[in-house]
Amino acid sequence: MTKCWLYLCLLWITTVGATAPVISHISQDVVASVGDSVEFNCTVEHVGQMTVSWAKTDPSSAVVLSMRNMLSLPDQRYNISVLKNPSKDSAIYSFRIRQIEVNDMGPYECQVIVSSSGKVTKKLNLQIKTPPVILESTPRSKLVTEGQNLEVSCHASGFPAPTISWARVGHAIMPAGGQLLNEPTLRIKTVHRLDRGGYYCIAQNGEGLPDKRLVHVEVEFRPEISVSRPKVAQMLSHTAELECSVQGYPAPTVVWFRNGEQLQSRRRHEISNTASSSETTTSVLRIDSVSEENYGDYYCNATNKLGQADARLHLFQVFIPVPSSS
């Protein structure tokens, strides 16, 4: 009797196991563009009277989209259909989305409800192609001191993952050569002041237009002074102009000295500083009606937070010979 009951129990378990619902097939992951239509298919064997659903899931929640052959959400883009095969006790549940949007992206799950707390499931993932967008974590400017190494990373979202390259404004040559750097990080070793300027981060993935961001690289360097005429000749009672050109960043403060004292603009001395777009300051010391005491050495001095520079200019008297009468 005991053996008989054991045989019947095993037969019952085997029969139940054989008729348990099985998801024999689900569509592979789908990659599509915004505006496309997609279809997910789920084949369930031994479906019987079980309820089969499609749901959109994420790690924290799930939204049921359909149950059997009915939609659970009133979205006109959705469609559900069921193709039954009674002879095999199976059915194909097809869920379609027209004119897909970015928000449709994510995992979808075919669910067979077998009890109040149990279900058989399989998932697929919908990836939607999106144009590249450069993220705000990419800086818009970068400050570096001359002689240091520079690194600027560019980050972008989009699907497929965008490729990133760098180019200089005006198609100028990159510090490492060529007109394009096919790397997500712009690296410049031992930065020189000539490396300053605008660099474009370019992200592209074949969807829509590439996205660009202008990153302005500024290079700090100590002042340098150039003088085109270190010796200036002038006659008495005439006007003399002493000029020096200063480069540096941050923009240096430029002053003039004579005999250890700083000169100020006054009645017979006028100092003018003019800055150009190339970060060059031209400083001119103008002396009206030169007198004997004005001859000698003058110093153009430029200072910023990185240091200072001096240049000496010499004003001397010139004589124009007067032709003698015969």
Side-chain angles (χ1 to χ4, degrees):
M1 189 65 141
T2 303
K3 291 183 178 180
C4 180
W5 276 111
L6 180 60
Y7 172 79
L8 291 175
C9 288
L10 290 173
L11 180 62
W12 179 81
I13 293 172
T14 303
T15 303
V16 171
T19 57
V22 175
I23 298 176
S24 59
H25 171 78
I26 191 171
S27 298
Q28 294 182 344
D29 291 347
V30 179
V31 176
S33 299
V34 171
D36 288 351
S37 295
V38 295
E39 179 178 308
F40 311 143
N41 293 312
C42 178
T43 302
V44 181
E45 307 290 343
H46 312 300
V47 63
Q49 300 300 312
M50 301 291 182
T51 296
V52 178
S53 303
W54 278 101
K56 188 173 187 296
T57 64
D58 60 45
S60 60
S61 64
V63 177
V64 176
L65 305 174
S66 68
M67 298 184 67
R68 292 194 176 96
N69 62 348
M70 296 182 295
L71 293 174
S72 303
L73 294 178
D75 193 322
Q76 295 182 351
R77 300 178 305 129
Y78 295 165
N79 178 264
I80 181 72
S81 64
V82 180
L83 180 60
K84 294 184 177 182
N85 187 339
S87 64
K88 294 185 176 182
D89 192 22
S90 67
I92 301 173
Y93 294 79
S94 300
F95 186 78
R96 302 176 188 86
I97 309 175
R98 295 184 301 106
Q99 298 178 341
I100 60 172
E101 303 167 356
V102 174
N103 292 336
D104 294 321
M105 183 169 58
Y108 288 77
E109 189 173 77
C110 178
Q111 304 175 341
V112 184
I113 311 301
V114 295
S115 69
S116 60
S117 59
K119 58 186 177 181
V120 178
T121 65
K122 278 193 177 180
K123 287 185 179 182
L124 61 84
N125 199 46
L126 172 61
Q127 288 277 14
I128 298 179
K129 295 179 181 179
T130 54
V133 176
I134 294 177
L135 303 177
E136 285 305 314
S137 57
T138 302
R140 296 182 183 272
S141 62
K142 195 74 173 180
L143 180 65
V144 63
T145 301
E146 190 171 44
Q148 293 181 341
N149 295 334
L150 171 71
E151 285 194 3
V152 185
S153 294
C154 182
H155 307 277
S157 63
F159 185 81
T163 59
I164 296 177
S165 57
W166 290 89
R168 292 188 80 166
V169 169
H171 306 287
I173 300 299
M174 298 289 288
Q179 291 185 322
L180 200 65
L181 173 67
N182 294 311
E183 296 286 345
T185 300
L186 171 65
R187 293 183 175 90
I188 306 176
K189 291 185 177 180
T190 316
V191 172
H192 189 273
R193 69 197 66 175
L194 295 179
D195 297 326
R196 69 183 186 268
Y199 293 78
Y200 281 113
C201 165
I202 306 166
Q204 50 192 336
N205 65 356
E207 288 293 309
L209 296 175
D211 195 18
K212 292 183 179 181
R213 171 165 295 182
L214 178 61
V215 179
H216 189 77
V217 173
E218 191 53 78
V219 180
E220 293 182 325
F221 60 98
R222 60 184 302 149
E224 289 188 354
I225 300 177
S226 61
V227 177
S228 58
R229 290 195 306 154
K231 294 184 178 181
V232 179
Q234 189 54 281
M235 295 185 298
L236 289 169
S237 301
H238 285 69
T239 299
E241 288 189 348
L242 309 179
E243 180 180 307
C244 67
S245 294
V246 178
Q247 282 195 324
Y249 189 85
T253 300
V254 183
V255 295
W256 288 84
F257 288 92
R258 173 88 193 281
N259 297 328
E261 294 185 4
Q262 182 178 338
L263 299 177
Q264 305 290 341
S265 291
R266 55 184 63 174
R267 187 171 61 86
R268 294 180 59 190
H269 295 83
E270 182 183 350
I271 300 173
S272 62
N273 295 327
T274 305
S276 69
S277 58
S278 60
E279 295 180 357
T280 299
T281 298
T282 301
S283 185
V284 177
L285 170 62
R286 178 187 174 94
I287 305 171
D288 291 328
S289 187
V290 172
S291 62
E292 290 279 358
E293 65 180 17
N294 295 133
Y295 293 120
D297 290 337
Y298 292 79
Y299 290 88
C300 175
N301 174 273
T303 305
N304 68 10
K305 70 177 186 178
L306 298 179
Q308 65 173 6
D310 292 285
R312 183 172 67 89
L313 294 87
H314 184 71
L315 176 64
F316 64 95
Q317 187 175 6
V318 65
F319 298 93
I320 299 178
V322 178
S324 59
S325 58
S326 56

Short mmCIF file of all heavy atoms in Angstrom, two decimals, residues 4 8-9 17 34 68 87 136 141 143 155 165 173 213-214 259 270 303 314 324:
data_model
loop_
_atom_site.label_atom_id
_atom_site.label_comp_id
_atom_site.label_asym_id
_atom_site.label_seq_id
_atom_site.Cartn_x
_atom_site.Cartn_y
_atom_site.Cartn_z
N CYS A 4 2.36 1.80 -3.36
CA CYS A 4 1.35 2.29 -4.30
C CYS A 4 1.14 3.78 -4.13
O CYS A 4 1.09 4.52 -5.11
CB CYS A 4 0.04 1.53 -4.08
SG CYS A 4 -1.26 2.08 -5.22
N LEU A 8 1.86 6.82 -6.87
CA LEU A 8 0.87 7.81 -7.29
C LEU A 8 1.35 9.24 -7.04
O LEU A 8 1.11 10.15 -7.84
CB LEU A 8 -0.45 7.56 -6.53
CG LEU A 8 -1.21 6.28 -6.92
CD1 LEU A 8 -2.42 6.08 -6.01
CD2 LEU A 8 -1.64 6.35 -8.39
N CYS A 9 2.05 9.44 -5.92
CA CYS A 9 2.58 10.79 -5.62
C CYS A 9 3.61 11.21 -6.66
O CYS A 9 3.61 12.34 -7.14
CB CYS A 9 3.20 10.80 -4.22
SG CYS A 9 1.99 10.71 -2.89
N GLY A 17 4.69 18.74 -13.03
CA GLY A 17 5.92 19.35 -13.54
C GLY A 17 5.89 19.45 -15.05
O GLY A 17 6.35 20.42 -15.63
N VAL A 34 14.40 56.82 -32.09
CA VAL A 34 13.17 57.52 -31.74
C VAL A 34 12.28 57.63 -32.98
O VAL A 34 12.73 57.99 -34.07
CB VAL A 34 13.49 58.92 -31.18
CG1 VAL A 34 12.20 59.74 -31.00
CG2 VAL A 34 14.22 58.81 -29.85
N ARG A 68 -3.07 39.20 -20.65
CA ARG A 68 -3.66 38.37 -21.71
C ARG A 68 -3.70 39.19 -23.00
O ARG A 68 -2.66 39.60 -23.50
CB ARG A 68 -5.04 37.86 -21.31
CG ARG A 68 -5.00 36.85 -20.15
CD ARG A 68 -6.33 36.13 -20.01
NE ARG A 68 -6.28 35.09 -18.98
CZ ARG A 68 -6.68 35.26 -17.73
NH1 ARG A 68 -7.19 36.44 -17.36
NH2 ARG A 68 -6.58 34.28 -16.85
N SER A 87 -3.63 23.01 -29.98
CA SER A 87 -3.14 21.63 -30.04
C SER A 87 -1.87 21.43 -29.22
O SER A 87 -1.58 20.34 -28.73
CB SER A 87 -2.90 21.22 -31.50
OG SER A 87 -1.87 22.02 -32.06
N GLU A 136 27.58 68.28 -18.37
CA GLU A 136 28.04 69.47 -17.66
C GLU A 136 29.32 69.22 -16.87
O GLU A 136 29.96 70.17 -16.42
CB GLU A 136 26.94 70.00 -16.73
CG GLU A 136 25.82 70.71 -17.47
CD GLU A 136 26.33 71.84 -18.35
OE1 GLU A 136 27.15 72.64 -17.87
OE2 GLU A 136 25.91 71.91 -19.52
N SER A 141 36.26 75.99 -19.18
CA SER A 141 37.54 76.70 -19.17
C SER A 141 38.52 75.95 -18.28
O SER A 141 38.11 75.18 -17.39
CB SER A 141 37.38 78.14 -18.68
OG SER A 141 36.91 78.16 -17.35
N LEU A 143 42.50 76.64 -16.41
CA LEU A 143 43.64 77.52 -16.15
C LEU A 143 44.82 76.67 -15.73
O LEU A 143 44.71 75.81 -14.87
CB LEU A 143 43.29 78.52 -15.04
CG LEU A 143 44.38 79.51 -14.64
CD1 LEU A 143 44.70 80.45 -15.80
CD2 LEU A 143 43.93 80.31 -13.42
N HIS A 155 33.12 64.51 -21.36
CA HIS A 155 32.17 63.43 -21.08
C HIS A 155 30.88 63.69 -21.87
O HIS A 155 30.40 64.83 -21.93
CB HIS A 155 31.86 63.35 -19.59
CG HIS A 155 33.09 63.23 -18.73
ND1 HIS A 155 33.72 62.05 -18.51
CD2 HIS A 155 33.80 64.18 -18.06
CE1 HIS A 155 34.78 62.24 -17.73
NE2 HIS A 155 34.84 63.53 -17.43
N SER A 165 36.50 63.53 -29.75
CA SER A 165 37.74 64.03 -30.31
C SER A 165 37.89 65.50 -29.94
O SER A 165 36.95 66.14 -29.46
CB SER A 165 37.76 63.84 -31.84
OG SER A 165 36.64 64.48 -32.44
N ILE A 173 46.88 73.90 -35.52
CA ILE A 173 47.57 72.65 -35.22
C ILE A 173 47.51 72.38 -33.72
O ILE A 173 47.73 73.26 -32.90
CB ILE A 173 49.04 72.72 -35.68
CG1 ILE A 173 49.09 72.97 -37.20
CG2 ILE A 173 49.78 71.44 -35.34
CD1 ILE A 173 48.45 71.88 -38.02
N ARG A 213 31.54 71.40 -27.57
CA ARG A 213 31.70 72.34 -26.47
C ARG A 213 33.06 73.01 -26.60
O ARG A 213 34.08 72.35 -26.78
CB ARG A 213 31.59 71.67 -25.11
CG ARG A 213 31.97 72.63 -23.96
CD ARG A 213 31.52 72.12 -22.62
NE ARG A 213 30.07 72.07 -22.55
CZ ARG A 213 29.41 71.69 -21.46
NH1 ARG A 213 30.07 71.34 -20.37
NH2 ARG A 213 28.10 71.65 -21.45
N LEU A 214 33.04 74.35 -26.48
CA LEU A 214 34.28 75.11 -26.54
C LEU A 214 34.87 75.19 -25.13
O LEU A 214 34.22 75.66 -24.20
CB LEU A 214 34.01 76.51 -27.09
CG LEU A 214 35.23 77.45 -27.16
CD1 LEU A 214 36.30 76.88 -28.08
CD2 LEU A 214 34.80 78.84 -27.63
N ASN A 259 65.84 106.76 -11.77
CA ASN A 259 66.65 106.98 -10.57
C ASN A 259 66.02 106.36 -9.31
O ASN A 259 66.03 106.96 -8.23
CB ASN A 259 66.89 108.47 -10.34
CG ASN A 259 67.67 109.11 -11.49
OD1 ASN A 259 68.52 108.45 -12.11
ND2 ASN A 259 67.39 110.38 -11.77
N GLU A 270 53.87 111.86 -19.48
CA GLU A 270 52.57 111.18 -19.67
C GLU A 270 52.81 109.70 -19.95
O GLU A 270 53.59 109.36 -20.86
CB GLU A 270 51.79 111.80 -20.83
CG GLU A 270 50.42 111.16 -21.03
CD GLU A 270 49.68 111.74 -22.23
OE1 GLU A 270 50.14 112.75 -22.78
OE2 GLU A 270 48.65 111.14 -22.59
N THR A 303 54.79 93.54 -13.58
CA THR A 303 54.65 92.62 -12.46
C THR A 303 53.28 91.93 -12.50
O THR A 303 52.25 92.57 -12.73
CB THR A 303 54.78 93.38 -11.12
OG1 THR A 303 56.01 94.09 -11.09
CG2 THR A 303 54.72 92.41 -9.95
N HIS A 314 67.37 104.02 -22.75
CA HIS A 314 68.28 105.15 -22.54
C HIS A 314 67.90 106.29 -23.48
O HIS A 314 67.82 106.11 -24.69
CB HIS A 314 69.73 104.71 -22.78
CG HIS A 314 70.72 105.78 -22.49
ND1 HIS A 314 71.02 106.21 -21.21
CD2 HIS A 314 71.49 106.55 -23.34
CE1 HIS A 314 71.93 107.17 -21.27
NE2 HIS A 314 72.24 107.40 -22.55
N SER A 324 77.96 125.64 -41.64
CA SER A 324 78.62 126.95 -41.52
C SER A 324 78.46 127.74 -42.80
O SER A 324 78.38 127.17 -43.91
CB SER A 324 80.11 126.75 -41.22
OG SER A 324 80.72 126.00 -42.26
#
